[in-house]
Amino acid sequence: MTIVDSPNIPRGLTALANPTRFLALVRIVLPFLTLITVILLAIGLWMGFSVPDDYQQGRTVRIMFVHVPSVWMAMGAYMVMVSSALGVLVWRHPLADVAARAAAPLGACFTFLGLATGSIWGRPMWGTWWVWDARLTSFLILFIIYLGLMALWNSIEEPARSARMAAVAILVGAINIPIIKFSVDWFTTLHQPASVLRSDGPTLAPEFLYPLFTMGLAFLFLFLTLHLMAMRNEILRRQIRTLQRKATRDIRAKKQATT
Amino acid sequence: MNEIFGTQYFGFIASSFGITLFVLLAITFWILWTHRARRKALAKLEAAGIKRASSK
């Protein structure tokens, strides 16, 4: 039974099971996504650089407009990988492993940016580049998880096995996401508690909140654009590998025919 | 520049935005370069007569 025949697959997903159809969709969608990303980034940066100085943090508050969206996307990319891992293990969707594998380097980049900009922001505000508190340490662990997953994919030759192993590892690593989110509530940390994604609403002043949401949206569209581009690359890599194997088989068959 | 980054924390703010720009541009160009290289490799294989079943 192919994925298209499978009754377990949600109907919308079966249409994209064919990589050729998926690539055609990417070709149509990518220019629009790129345009929206550029516009949102321009608006977000303009809004971000127009905010007044914060009464406590002064002008360094502007670092928030790259730090917080990077952190959101670092965790968002991991959630994409979690849903892809379910796609591999539950529905066996052929593009699920492609999506997970394409999201990992992007997630690693956003995590690195979250760590780097957070460290740069921490130096003038906390007086230190780094502290081993629960929020910073769990976020560093997320970066290590991303690197580990990329190493895992590259270390197993057989595609189905590497997809399954990585999917299980992604689901195990997902335990770190709520730890990152709630670490500031569960432990005493130097990092401030949540001020945007709170059950009782954001505590951030609107003049900072709207530029932050705009930059968050810009980073989301940037991630979607880069993710589709990276998925397209992964599909091409698999097509090349298939053709190379076919070429090797053809050469062997010819050799056997002549001997 | 002083208007945007201020004078007191210029280095911290500028380096935060600078590193973000550098990393995001680097990953974008890496993805674009990889796409170009893979398209070339695929075209080379197809030119050598090794084609996918769907393209026959």
Side-chain angles (χ1 to χ4, degrees):
Chain A
M1 184 186 280
T2 66
I3 182 162
V4 181
D5 309 321
S6 171
N8 298 323
I9 306 281
R11 193 175 281 270
L13 290 176
T14 57
L16 295 175
N18 181 338
T20 310
R21 202 177 299 161
F22 177 80
L23 288 176
L25 180 78
V26 169
R27 225 184 343 265
I28 296 165
V29 169
L30 260 185
F32 295 104
L33 278 179
T34 309
L35 186 68
I36 295 168
T37 304
V38 170
I39 291 169
L40 281 172
L41 274 175
I43 296 170
L45 283 172
W46 177 76
M47 288 172 84
F49 284 123
S50 308
V51 296
D53 291 357
D54 180 67
Y55 80 103
Q56 277 183 320
Q57 304 194 20
R59 207 156 283 187
T60 60
V61 75
R62 291 175 184 190
I63 297 175
M64 174 174 70
F65 302 124
V66 284
H67 171 71
V68 176
S70 298
V71 171
W72 284 344
M73 287 330 303
M75 292 164 73
Y78 201 87
M79 293 320 291
V80 167
M81 288 169 59
V82 168
S83 52
S84 302
L86 291 173
V88 169
L89 296 173
V90 180
W91 298 302
R92 298 177 193 275
H93 195 286
L95 287 181
D97 184 52
V98 170
R101 214 172 155 145
L106 298 174
C109 278
F110 282 114
T111 311
F112 171 77
L113 283 177
L115 288 168
T117 55
S119 179
I120 294 168
W121 197 8
R123 184 69 186 93
M125 292 302 105
W126 298 341
T128 180
W129 296 101
W130 182 262
V131 62
W132 291 100
D133 81 359
R135 168 59 69 87
L136 275 70
T137 308
S138 55
F139 203 67
L140 177 65
I141 290 170
L142 179 66
F143 184 61
I144 295 166
I145 288 174
Y146 274 126
L147 297 184
L149 285 169
M150 287 191 278
L152 181 66
W153 268 304
N154 289 322
S155 63
I156 301 170
E157 184 69 26
E158 210 262 296
R161 194 164 155 257
S162 92
R164 273 197 311 275
M165 299 260 301
V168 171
I170 288 167
L171 294 180
V172 171
I175 191 75
N176 193 41
I177 298 297
I179 293 175
I180 295 172
K181 168 73 183 132
F182 296 110
S183 56
V184 285
D185 304 320
W186 294 341
F187 304 98
T188 307
T189 60
L190 192 55
H191 195 284
Q192 64 172 63
S195 53
V196 180
L197 304 173
R198 296 165 56 99
S199 56
D200 55 348
T203 55
L204 208 62
E207 54 262 55
F208 297 113
L209 192 64
Y210 295 132
L212 182 62
F213 277 149
T214 311
M215 282 299 278
L217 205 59
F219 271 48
L220 173 67
F221 272 89
L222 178 66
F223 172 77
L224 290 175
T225 308
L226 294 177
H227 190 223
L228 283 183
M229 286 161 71
M231 281 181 75
R232 184 175 63 179
N233 285 353
E234 179 58 22
I235 290 169
L236 287 178
R237 188 187 70 81
R238 288 169 191 222
Q239 287 177 349
I240 291 167
R241 193 191 55 205
T242 307
L243 290 189
Q244 283 170 339
R245 285 188 177 175
K246 187 173 178 281
T248 313
R249 274 200 310 271
D250 289 351
I251 291 166
R252 268 195 208 139
K254 271 182 194 167
K255 269 187 185 169
Q256 277 176 352
T258 51
T259 53
Chain B
M1 289 300 251
N2 283 349
E3 186 59 35
I4 296 170
F5 298 121
T7 47
Q8 197 183 354
Y9 298 117
F10 176 87
F12 294 105
I13 305 169
S15 54
S16 290
F17 280 84
I19 200 166
T20 304
L21 185 71
F22 175 77
V23 170
L24 294 181
L25 280 178
I27 185 88
T28 305
F29 282 116
W30 175 69
I31 289 171
L32 287 172
W33 179 84
T34 307
H35 179 65
R36 215 179 134 99
R38 286 186 184 161
R39 285 289 294 268
K40 259 188 194 169
L42 200 61
K44 210 172 160 184
L45 282 164
E46 290 186 341
I50 308 150
K51 289 197 166 84
R52 283 169 290 154
S54 58
S55 61
K56 276 180 185 169

